[in-house]
Amino acid sequence: MRKYSILLIVACAALPVAAKVTLPSYVTDNMIVQQNSTFTINGHAAPSSDVKVTAGWNDAPQTVKTDKNGKFTVKFPTPGAGGPYAVTFEDKDGALTIENVLSGEVWLCSGQSNMEFPVEGWSTVMDYDREVATAHHPDIRVLQVKKNTAFAPQEDVEVNGGGWQICTSASMADFSAIAYFFARELSEKLHIPIGVIDTTWGGTPAEAWTSAEALGAVPGFENELADLKAAGYDADKLNGIYQRKIGEWMALATGGDAGFDTGTMQSGDRWKPIPVPGFWENSVMPGFDGVVWLQREIEIPAENAGKDLRLKFKAIDDEDETYFNGQLVGKGSGYATPREYTVAGNLVKPGKNVITIKVCDFGGEGGIAPGYAIAYADGLQLPLDGTWQYTVQSDFSKLPPKPMAPQGSSYPSVLYNAMLSPLGNMPVKGVLWYQGCANVGRHEQYEPLFKTLIGDWRKLWGEDMPFYFVQLAGFLQPKAVQPDSEWAALRNAQAKALQLDNTAMAVTIDLGNPVDIHPKNKQDVAHRLALIALNRDYGKDCVYAAPRCTSVERAGNRLILRFDAPVHPTSNAITGFIIAGKDGRFTTATPTVTDDRTISLTSPAVASPESVRYNWADYPAGNLYGTTGLPVAPFANDK
């Protein structure tokens, strides 16, 4: 194969002062360009000067002129798969050669932690020793975008490792495992160079990856978008707006007192028992966010009266004010932060003493965290676990939404602006997306949000590129009947994106772990994504989806389900179906196989069934597969 030479003049801190041309951070040695496309590069050079660009696969150079600020734009066609190449960006101040450029297929891989999950880094994949040891693929190139946020679209991304890396054990260790395994399978099947871009951030919601302009069409983000606009997308001004709003909200949420003396044990109908330690979501108040007062008495022996006492808790979620006999002895914040407060001896009386804690929980679990809760002094240790009493001061669900802090990676559009928008000039074949955990509980919003995100990204790249996504795997406690599962509802919202053209979904419901939100089998996730791409984009004869239920009919006391291809269970008994009548009360169904495409469902508890759901739970146990071993996707005929 011929080797060509391209000069790139790139000025940055690491280069000689004489080199005046600067290029985006993703234009580096070892890069892969999308074959048979048009690559647009926005660069900088001396103002009002000429920059000559000669692509090694094209003998005719281009000359472009910089504007008065030194900006220039050059567009050049890329060749079919091949290389290596090197290209020429040249001006009066010098030249730089970018070596070992390949042309092939480039896929953008994005989402939250399960896409970020490395081969061997903050966690490790299944069989990671062998995977790392065998990661030597010169025709696979990887680019990892550095985590960053911005309130307005940026001109460039920051990258790790200096730019594009050749796939080796070293470069792959902390790279997206799914992206790598996907690239490896495509490389093996297509025999052409494959590039993958890892732009991910664990724990982030879909709205952070969507532009402010597009989010205007999705209900629920009006306040944040208005604040961004009012601040002129300036960080300092936005923080000022937030500080004012959060002050007003906190005054509304926690203002006033609970109507009692914190130094006296209270009584009356408003006070109820609560187990401590333990989150109240798991006992007396499922799903509650707000301000709650907790109280209990402790008995202090006479010999310890008048001596300093310490109160120690594993954590209090999220914020607390802790009182002893009516006096404030400490404040704390942080849902996982241990608390230890010293009670001055003059407050410690012989006999009965009262501990009162005001707990403010903004989301998720709330209360005194499981673990330890003790009072101790020299020669004394009093366990504080047991039954306390509580009363609610404020229920946040009855207040306006709490203002969202602009700091961090969850604020609307901040990841789109910093980690995605600058890549829009770099052609890619398509997108792989694995996200959704951070939006569980907001499934009604997620359906239009996810569709908007897909359209938004396609607008950025200027084409309806393939968009393939991973449906959430099973997680949390297995339950046979769970029609109110928020994880199942989010999976259903994800599947609604299949209504858009050029989309496909990798089903991973069977690859989850009930106690680990980050299951280690990323090889099969990547394989299922690769099957989609190989079939839809590269014409390979492979099946990428399991059979679908195409009709549900009622026949007396049973529902008849028909599938578009043969299905089979992995055991004698079919599992995972629940049915309900008009009252909506679901119960486990008894399946009967009519033929390999037809299943009937009955239950003695449902005389006239109308609704059916399959694999509808946080961690369901359905066992239907297609003939190629792919699982039937969760579905419901009433959603």
Side-chain angles (χ1 to χ4, degrees):
M1 181 180 292
R2 296 174 60 193
K3 179 173 181 179
Y4 297 88
S5 179
I6 301 177
L7 290 174
L8 287 172
I9 307 167
V10 181
C12 62
L15 298 177
V17 175
K20 298 299 182 184
V21 174
T22 61
L23 299 172
S25 62
Y26 52 82
V27 179
T28 71
D29 288 349
N30 306 316
M31 73 180 300
I32 288 188
V33 295
Q34 175 62 36
Q35 64 172 329
N36 301 318
S37 66
T38 299
F39 199 169
T40 301
I41 294 180
N42 295 324
H44 290 78
S48 303
S49 65
D50 289 335
V51 178
K52 185 172 73 171
V53 184
T54 306
W57 52 82
N58 186 351
D59 293 334
Q62 295 186 57
T63 298
V64 295
K65 200 171 196 66
T66 63
D67 64 17
K68 63 180 181 179
N69 297 313
K71 294 183 179 181
F72 70 88
T73 298
V74 62
K75 298 183 179 183
F76 53 88
T78 60
Y85 303 102
V87 180
T88 294
F89 278 71
E90 183 177 8
D91 75 352
K92 60 185 180 62
D93 292 313
L96 176 73
T97 300
I98 300 296
E99 298 283 3
N100 200 19
V101 177
L102 298 179
S103 183
E105 295 289 272
V106 180
W107 286 82
L108 181 77
C109 306
S110 188
Q112 57 182 112
S113 55
N114 272 298
M115 181 63 85
E116 180 185 350
F117 194 107
V119 176
E120 180 189 28
W122 53 265
S123 190
T124 54
V125 298
M126 180 178 68
D127 200 17
Y128 73 90
D129 284 336
R130 182 183 64 82
E131 297 291 11
V132 172
T134 58
H136 297 282
H137 305 281
D139 281 353
I140 295 177
R141 308 294 172 83
V142 300
L143 177 71
Q144 189 174 62
V145 176
K146 186 177 180 180
K147 293 181 175 64
N148 205 356
T149 63
F151 296 114
Q154 302 298 291
E155 291 187 355
D156 198 5
V157 295
E158 296 183 42
V159 297
N160 292 324
W164 286 87
Q165 305 289 313
I166 298 173
C167 176
T168 65
S169 296
S171 63
M172 285 313 309
D174 198 35
F175 195 80
S176 164
I178 289 176
Y180 164 58
F181 294 138
F182 174 85
R184 183 176 67 183
E185 184 160 354
L186 259 60
S187 178
E188 292 171 351
K189 299 291 174 57
L190 302 178
H191 306 292
I192 60 174
I194 303 294
V196 279
I197 302 172
D198 173 356
T199 180
T200 57
W201 196 325
T204 55
E207 60 265 26
W209 294 97
T210 310
S211 73
E213 179 184 10
L215 282 176
V218 182
F221 305 107
E222 295 84 1
N223 291 337
E224 291 80 13
L225 296 178
D227 290 347
L228 280 168
K229 186 175 181 180
Y233 305 93
D234 177 82
D236 291 337
K237 292 180 180 178
L238 185 62
N239 188 59
I241 293 173
Y242 167 73
Q243 293 299 331
R244 174 180 58 80
K245 285 191 168 185
I246 194 62
E248 294 171 350
W249 189 88
M250 288 299 296
L252 182 64
T254 64
D257 57 38
F260 62 88
D261 177 3
T262 57
T264 303
M265 281 296 291
Q266 303 297 297
S267 60
D269 293 341
R270 66 182 295 185
W271 291 91
K272 298 178 176 62
I274 183 172
V276 170
F279 295 123
W280 60 57
E281 273 85 353
N282 299 329
S283 57
V284 297
M285 293 187 291
F288 179 82
D289 299 324
V291 179
V292 176
W293 289 84
L294 307 174
Q295 273 197 328
R296 74 158 290 164
E297 282 185 334
I298 60 172
E299 191 82 18
I300 300 293
E303 60 268 26
N304 293 103
K307 298 179 181 179
D308 287 357
L309 182 73
R310 289 182 175 83
L311 305 178
K312 190 173 183 179
F313 303 95
K314 175 71 173 180
I316 300 178
D317 186 354
D318 291 301
E319 297 180 354
D320 72 286
E321 296 177 5
T322 297
Y323 298 82
F324 192 89
N325 288 334
Q327 297 296 311
L328 180 68
V329 296
K331 294 182 178 182
S333 64
Y335 69 93
T337 303
R339 310 290 207 273
E340 184 167 359
Y341 303 132
T342 298
V343 181
N346 65 297
L347 298 177
V348 182
K349 304 181 301 183
K352 295 186 183 300
N353 292 254
V354 178
I355 300 172
T356 305
I357 305 177
K358 179 182 180 181
V359 182
C360 187
D361 174 42
F362 298 111
E365 296 167 321
I368 298 177
Y372 53 81
I374 57 175
Y376 67 97
D378 292 340
L380 174 70
Q381 182 163 309
L382 296 174
L384 299 179
D385 57 307
T387 300
W388 290 44
Q389 64 177 19
Y390 80 96
T391 189
V392 172
Q393 176 179 337
S394 298
D395 182 348
F396 290 170
S397 69
K398 298 177 181 178
L399 299 178
K402 179 175 177 282
M404 180 183 294
Q407 297 82 11
S409 57
S410 294
Y411 203 79
S413 303
V414 293
L415 303 185
Y416 174 92
N417 294 331
M419 298 178 63
L420 187 79
S421 178
L423 298 172
N425 283 329
M426 182 176 184
V428 297
K429 179 66 175 182
V431 173
L432 307 181
W433 174 259
Y434 193 169
Q435 188 276 335
C437 300
N439 289 87
V440 168
R442 293 189 283 143
H443 61 275
E444 292 182 353
Q445 182 189 60
Y446 194 82
E447 179 184 342
L449 173 59
F450 189 30
K451 291 178 179 178
T452 297
L453 180 148
I454 295 171
D456 194 31
W457 288 27
R458 288 173 168 174
K459 181 179 178 181
L460 176 63
W461 266 272
E463 59 178 312
D464 289 339
M465 58 191 176
F467 197 106
Y468 305 145
F469 58 95
V470 180
Q471 191 180 47
L472 295 182
F475 179 55
L476 297 176
Q477 180 181 355
K479 294 181 180 179
V481 181
Q482 194 183 9
D484 59 348
S485 165
E486 292 185 338
W487 281 73
L490 198 285
R491 293 186 195 107
N492 189 61
Q494 289 178 304
K496 295 295 181 66
L498 296 175
Q499 296 168 355
L500 302 179
D501 291 338
N502 214 7
T503 59
M505 181 175 73
V507 177
T508 63
I509 194 70
D510 58 330
L511 300 180
N513 186 323
V515 296
D516 189 355
I517 201 170
H518 302 122
K520 298 182 182 301
N521 182 2
K522 297 296 187 255
Q523 290 90 335
D524 280 341
V525 179
H527 172 63
R528 293 175 186 181
L529 287 167
L531 289 175
I532 297 171
L534 288 169
N535 176 282
R536 294 172 63 113
D537 301 293
Y538 303 110
K540 298 298 182 179
D541 185 15
C542 57
V543 176
Y544 67 85
R548 295 182 305 107
C549 179
T550 55
S551 69
V552 178
E553 300 175 5
R554 192 176 79 185
N557 68 340
R558 66 185 58 237
L559 292 177
I560 309 297
L561 280 61
R562 291 184 173 83
F563 293 81
D564 60 3
V567 294
H568 66 87
T570 55
S571 62
N572 289 331
I574 297 175
T575 57
F577 284 102
I578 58 176
I579 58 176
K582 185 176 294 186
D583 60 6
R585 297 179 181 178
F586 281 89
T587 187
T588 303
T590 299
T592 301
V593 176
T594 303
D595 56 51
D596 64 4
R597 298 186 183 212
T598 309
I599 295 173
S600 66
L601 304 174
T602 60
S603 170
V606 184
S608 300
E610 293 188 357
S611 303
V612 57
R613 298 183 187 180
Y614 172 71
N615 259 356
W616 195 277
D618 296 345
Y619 187 83
N623 63 350
L624 279 184
Y625 287 77
T627 57
T628 61
L630 294 175
V632 171
F635 65 88
N637 75 329
D638 63 327
K639 290 289 182 179

